[in-house]
């Protein structure tokens, strides 16, 4: 799954919560989130954390994605 595609496919109301959750889990600032999203240069550990969060979103309510 492409992280940027997942983020931009989220409904507008869910984007801030996702961004905050990922940023808190990875220790990123607001700007770093968008930089990493646009450049895709995540470390293996960051990628693992982000995919775990995405999996949680998909399993919690797939209809809202």
């Amino acid at each position: 799954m492409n992280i940027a595609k997942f983020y931009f496919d989220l409904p507008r109301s869910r984007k801030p919560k996702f961004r905050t959750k990922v940023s808190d889990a990875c220790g990123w600032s607001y700007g770093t989130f968008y930089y990493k999203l646009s450049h895709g240069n995540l470390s293996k550990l960051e990628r693992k954390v982000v995919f775990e969060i995405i999996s949680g979103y998909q399993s919690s309510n797939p209809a809202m994605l």
Side-chain angles (χ1 to χ4, degrees), residues 4-36:
K5 180 173 176 13
F6 175 82
Y7 177 74
F8 291 116
D9 286 346
L10 281 174
R12 176 176 263 176
S13 61
R14 294 191 67 167
K15 287 180 182 181
K17 186 173 181 175
F18 176 78
R19 181 181 59 238
T20 302
K21 196 172 212 177
V22 169
S23 295
D24 289 347
C26 294
W28 297 342
S29 67
Y30 181 87
T32 301
F33 174 83
Y34 284 107
Y35 179 83
K36 295 245 183 197

Side-chain angles (χ1 to χ4, degrees), residues 43-59:
S43 70
K44 287 182 182 180
L45 184 57
E46 290 170 337
R47 189 172 301 279
K48 181 180 181 217
V49 168
V50 172
F51 281 120
E52 287 175 1
I53 293 170
I54 289 173
S55 294
Y57 269 75
Q58 291 174 331
S59 65

